[in-house]
Amino acid sequence: MILNLQIFLTTFIGMSILALSMRRHAQHLPSKISQRLNHRRLVSLAGWTALSMALYLCIAHHGISTGWVLWFGHLTAAALSVAFLLSYQAKLIMRLVIMAILALSMTYII
Amino acid sequence: MVIKGSLPILSRIIAAIFGGYLLTQLISIVIVAALPASRGESLFITLMLSFTVYALTILWAFAARSVLWCWLGLLIPAIVLALPVWLIIQTGGI
Amino acid sequence: MKETFRQSMAWLHTWSGLVLGWLLYFMFVTGTAGYLDTEIDRWMQPELPVAETSSVDEQQAVQSGLSRLNQKAPDADRWFIALPQDRNNPYLLTFWSGADGNTGNNVLDMASGEPLTTRDSHGGQLLYQMHWKLHYLPRIFTNWFITFVTMFMFIAIITGIIIHKNIFKDFFTFRPAKGQRSWLDAHNLMSVLSLPFQLMITYSGLIFMMFIVMPVMIAAFYGGDNGRDKFFEEIFPDSVQIEKADQPASLTALNPLLTTAESHWGENAVGYVEINHPGDAHARVTISGKAGQGPIRNSPKLIFDGVSGELLDEIPAKTSATRATRDVFLGLHEGLFAGPFLRVLYLLSGLMGTLMIATGLILWTRKRRPRLDKKRPGLAKGVDLVERLNIGTIIGLPIAIGAYFWANRLLPLEMAGRAEWEAHVMFIVWLLMLMHAALRPLRRGWLEQLSVASGVFLLLPVVNALTTDRHLGQSLPAGDWVFAGFDLSMLVLGFVFMAIAIKLKNNKTITAKNFSRHKLA
């Protein structure tokens, strides 16, 4: 169960970063941060890195076939969560990303 | 989207569903013969691919810029493949 | 026809999605329910005990099955004993089939070996099988028709991808409360975010039917009377059966065979035992291991002589790369390999596919309502028809499925043909919902059916409590997650329909008057 939580948190962080790296959605960020996102490529690279880490977790623990399927499933769930957050509670996004990173770190420490 | 008259549409639909299906069989038979694996394995592989071929013929039927081109685009390959397919069937496959 | 490629693909997307959209919706609803088929089975047969799959005494279970089969079907041609394994096979099952075509099955109690009696119901399995067999229609027709429908789905997906400009920019975009724009966003979101699943489910669905619907190319290489049979013997060699000898001979003891299986595969690794021609000189016993871990469900098999007990053949789980490709497709489609968390993700994608179709159907009417005018009475009739089919199907079908569950609890236990009547109730209710949708003013039609759906699902746990003792008050403390989960899910569904009804009712911008510019007389 912890593993699934870790995978979901990682994909959620990845999807959030990818969304926020887009001009259309960066407007939801406080202007200080959105100005720093001028390095869009770099930011989206961070997002893809998170997603790749999630893929690694999936395959490492479940094998090649099941791993890929699990990853795509998490991607769908995470992307859907991010899309709804952006529509209804956009201001929460940054806070949730930070909380997700903290929660993820805790699951590794404990 | 304005559709002027339904006869051209009906024609394309028939071309897509039936013409596309027949052309798919012809193309598939040639693919099976061309594949290096055994007869059974090649047929097995091509059966899985056949739906993609069918989908492409359907897209063609509706994307062709005129009803004439729609039918020609299906009939010409069919005619070209007819002889090879007949030969393949006569010689019992690969 | 159309000026550009994109325009012709847009036309194709609209029509391939619309014409059979309601049938595709039916396939997606029943298919998604299929990922919980055995859970629904168990809720619909509350007489069955909670499934016990962790501590199974293989030899005792097989002996129980054997004695039951000897008792019930000594002259049968094929016996089958399935051991309890996981949520896919929760119980000890026996199945037999005779040469005359008769079949029978029993669920056995693990401790006593006695058959468990349950109410006559086809459970979740029937619901899920309607996904490709439909109902009331001959298989010869439905095999072809379902594949035809799936090709429409395939074309709709491909054309949808082709015509979607800015598919990456739009990825996270959902703008609520903006009318038609919101419906398009919802349709895009549901489709694109679950696109890998939708492509997989559709193409694998086609592959399921490939032997049936592509006979011409098979006949081209395997012609003649037994051509097809020869083809299947070639690619599925382990399915070749031996003929009956018509000489009686007693069946060998099975325990030594199970011990051999254990020495090959380890403890508790047997999935099922199949006996062909029991009591005959040519009897064969096949012991199959449990299904593999991933999407490829192949299990190793040991084939024994049914009289002497000699090990004749060992078939490993691995197969050729080609067969494995097909097996992966089918395995991904069925999702039997999915553990609980992955199963939830499968359900999510199935639900998104269902909503993809529903939002598409609704979007079609929303786009055309403003364009209605007196010069085009045909369009007005078309939009009206689609809107009413939408109400009766998008909301009406869930109501019908709720009615299927209500019927399971309320139909008299001793009623003849009870299992068939549960299904009749479902289709009768669906027909009633379509008729209601045909007769009511459109806005009221939506609101009334949403309210009925809400009531049907919210009250189902109450009906459960009144007719059985496996209600939430019992299942929650007992940790019976099949029953508790089912009842809780019904409550969630009920609240979701209620929330939609309330939202529609409070939406002041949609009034009965501008809901549709034309009414049927």
Side-chain angles (χ1 to χ4, degrees), chain A:
Chain A
M1 210 54 203
I2 291 282
L3 177 69
N4 277 313
L5 182 64
Q6 289 173 329
I7 299 172
F8 183 73
L9 288 173
T10 315
T11 42
F12 176 78
I13 293 166
M15 282 292 177
S16 303
I17 295 176
L18 281 178
L20 294 172
S21 77
M22 296 165 77
R23 221 171 290 271
R24 192 182 290 188
H25 300 295
Q27 54 176 293
H28 296 298
L29 298 175
S31 51
K32 271 186 254 171
I33 300 180
S34 67
Q35 273 160 23
R36 294 231 186 98
L37 287 183
N38 280 330
H39 305 286
R40 285 222 146 76
R41 287 264 166 86
L42 216 58
V43 176
S44 74
L45 185 64
W48 284 107
T49 308
L51 293 184
S52 311
M53 277 165 50
L55 176 60
Y56 170 76
L57 281 175
C58 287
I59 294 186
H61 284 95
H62 291 280
I64 296 262
S65 307
T66 310
W68 277 98
V69 179
L70 190 60
W71 186 64
F72 277 120
H74 276 279
L75 289 184
T76 297
L80 195 61
S81 316
V82 171
F84 280 134
L85 274 171
L86 284 171
S87 310
Y88 291 107
Q89 291 287 356
K91 298 198 175 72
L92 276 183
I93 275 256
M94 273 312 293
R95 253 173 273 167
L96 282 174
V97 173
I98 293 170
M99 274 167 58
I101 297 177
L102 285 174
L104 188 59
S105 327
M106 270 168 53
T107 65
Y108 279 107
I109 296 169
I110 294 176

Side-chain angles (χ1 to χ4, degrees), chain B residues 43-82:
Chain B
L43 183 53
F44 199 108
I45 297 169
T46 314
L47 277 165
M48 291 192 278
L49 288 173
S50 64
F51 297 103
T52 308
V53 175
Y54 193 14
L56 290 171
T57 62
I58 294 172
L59 291 186
W60 162 259
F62 289 96
R65 63 186 121 104
S66 67
V67 177
L68 181 63
W69 262 116
C70 158
W71 281 97
L72 286 179
L74 297 174
L75 283 172
I76 294 176
I79 292 170
V80 166
L81 291 176

Side-chain angles (χ1 to χ4, degrees), chain B residues 3 21 25 39 41 48 52, chain C residues 11 203 213-214 221 322:
Chain B
I3 302 160
Y21 182 82
Q25 303 308 306
R39 185 174 53 149
E41 291 260 329
M48 291 192 278
T52 308
Chain C
W11 183 94
Y203 207 79
V213 298
M214 296 287 178
F221 292 94
T322 325

Side-chain angles (χ1 to χ4, degrees), chain C residues 160-310:
Chain C
I161 297 171
I162 292 175
I163 66 178
H164 193 152
K165 293 184 208 180
N166 303 322
I167 196 167
F168 296 110
K169 285 214 188 102
D170 284 348
F171 194 76
F172 296 102
T173 301
F174 176 56
R175 291 159 292 193
K178 286 203 160 74
Q180 183 187 317
R181 175 100 272 165
S182 304
W183 285 105
L184 179 59
D185 282 352
H187 182 64
N188 289 341
L189 205 69
M190 292 297 110
S191 330
V192 177
L193 263 50
S194 63
L195 198 51
F197 174 86
Q198 307 308 339
L199 282 167
M200 177 281 293
I201 211 78
T202 308
Y203 207 79
S204 55
L206 291 169
I207 289 189
F208 257 110
M209 309 303 283
M210 70 186 193
F211 295 124
I212 299 176
V213 298
M214 296 287 178
V216 176
M217 50 190 279
I218 298 177
F221 292 94
Y222 292 85
D225 285 329
N226 292 323
R228 270 178 85 88
D229 293 335
K230 292 213 186 64
F231 175 48
F232 290 123
E233 275 172 27
E234 198 179 310
I235 56 177
F236 296 117
D238 14 297
S239 63
V240 181
Q241 301 288 1
I242 190 170
E243 292 285 311
K244 203 170 170 181
D246 275 325
Q247 282 170 13
S250 46
L251 188 66
T252 181
L254 292 186
N255 282 351
L257 309 190
L258 289 170
T259 311
T260 309
E262 193 176 301
S263 70
H264 275 86
W265 305 326
E267 261 183 34
N268 275 320
V270 174
Y272 66 79
V273 175
E274 182 179 347
I275 303 162
N276 282 297
H277 315 306
D280 183 79
H282 279 178
R284 286 283 178 278
V285 177
T286 305
I287 299 187
S288 172
K290 292 189 182 168
Q293 279 302 309
I296 299 183
R297 307 269 301 157
N298 288 342
S299 45
K301 292 184 183 33
L302 295 169
I303 305 187
F304 299 87
D305 184 294
V307 179
S308 67
E310 182 196 337

Side-chain angles (χ1 to χ4, degrees), chain C residues 21 55 66 100 126 139 146 162 164 169 233 260 282 295 303 310 373 390 412 423 448 450 478 508-509 511:
Chain C
S55 52
L66 203 58
D100 50 1
L126 178 64
R139 287 303 297 278
I146 280 300
I162 292 175
H164 193 152
K169 285 214 188 102
E233 275 172 27
T260 309
H282 279 178
I303 305 187
E310 182 196 337
D373 62 45
N390 285 354
E448 285 164 8
L450 283 165
K508 299 284 189 277
T509 63
T511 62

